[in-house]
Amino acid sequence: AVKFGDRNADVKILQEYLIAKKYLGLGYNTGYYYNLTAKAVLKWQLDNLVAFDRYGYSEDELRVLSGKYFGKVSLKVMHS
């Protein structure tokens, strides 16, 4: 799991995934989880987690989190 403010290789891997899926622009694989990454994560989560009702996330709940956390549920969906 990674969160807003983290700076590490795991963030870079997430960013490269988001770039490949067209949620983040080319060249933004900096390894630093800040505003652009959070915005891309939120968009990805809205597109992918809300559709999986079994996870119990609503659009409103995801918007409150503002894309600032990419945890075990997101990772599970990402790898499915």
Side-chain angles (χ1 to χ4, degrees):
V2 291
K3 65 186 179 315
F4 193 83
D6 285 352
R7 182 177 221 151
N8 56 48
D10 290 337
V11 173
K12 191 168 187 170
I13 290 167
L14 170 61
Q15 290 168 329
E16 288 169 355
Y17 171 79
L18 293 169
I19 290 168
K21 296 294 183 178
K22 309 276 191 244
Y23 287 94
L24 189 62
L26 289 174
Y28 288 103
N29 54 336
T30 62
Y32 186 49
Y33 197 138
Y34 201 57
N35 290 329
L36 289 176
T37 301
K39 186 175 181 178
V41 164
L42 176 60
K43 175 72 172 129
W44 181 90
Q45 288 174 333
L46 289 171
D47 286 352
N48 292 279
L49 297 186
V50 174
F52 290 87
D53 291 333
R54 66 183 175 268
Y55 296 117
Y57 283 98
S58 72
E59 183 175 337
D60 289 340
E61 290 170 317
L62 291 171
R63 289 190 186 282
V64 167
L65 293 173
S66 303
K68 293 185 177 180
Y69 184 72
F70 197 91
K72 64 182 179 179
V73 172
S74 293
L75 286 165
K76 186 174 184 176
V77 172
M78 175 184 172
H79 292 294
S80 63

